[in-house]
Amino acid sequence: MLNFVSIRSLGDGFCRRESRILLGRLALEAGELDAAERHGGEACELARASQQALSVGRAERLLGRVAAARGLDAEAVSHFAESERIFRGSGAQVELGETLLARGEAG
């Protein structure tokens, strides 16, 4: 049986992961690539540590967009491929569509 403290810690972990992804997206849109990459990397680490595949997929997508913005095509392809693999495997069709769109926009 979960108690309040364990439920709260689950929520805190989710908030930390997802807030990093959102901050990274905002930084990317502002052209702050170092900050975007830092937030994406932190989100990816947190998500992997807590075995949250969908969050890993979102973080990988963000890192792919950052790599593409830097002109690092091979790195971008690698991040997008990992994101796509995760979302295809989990059946997360909307997330998969977002990744395919980001990959297409990256060129």
Side-chain angles (χ1 to χ4, degrees):
M1 183 167 148
L2 292 175
N3 62 31
F4 178 74
V5 173
S6 64
I7 292 171
R8 183 172 173 215
S9 69
L10 288 173
D12 289 348
F14 176 81
C15 291
R16 278 195 306 272
R17 286 189 310 273
E18 295 303 315
S19 66
R20 296 300 189 290
I21 293 168
L22 291 173
L23 288 169
R25 290 175 60 189
L26 289 170
L28 179 63
E29 292 301 320
E32 298 173 10
L33 300 182
D34 290 340
E37 184 174 31
R38 184 179 70 252
H39 290 303
E42 290 170 359
C44 199
E45 286 178 24
L46 289 167
R48 287 188 192 284
S50 59
Q51 299 179 343
Q52 298 298 312
L54 296 180
S55 292
V56 173
R58 284 189 287 275
E60 288 286 353
R61 180 173 58 224
L62 171 60
L63 292 170
R65 291 181 67 210
V66 172
R70 288 192 162 139
L72 303 172
D73 296 338
E75 187 176 328
V77 166
S78 176
H79 287 298
F80 288 137
E82 178 63 6
S83 179
E84 181 179 345
R85 183 193 67 74
I86 290 167
F87 294 139
R88 280 191 192 281
S90 67
Q93 296 300 308
V94 172
E95 294 286 0
L96 174 60
E98 291 288 329
T99 295
L100 296 175
L101 179 62
R103 186 179 69 191
E105 290 174 342

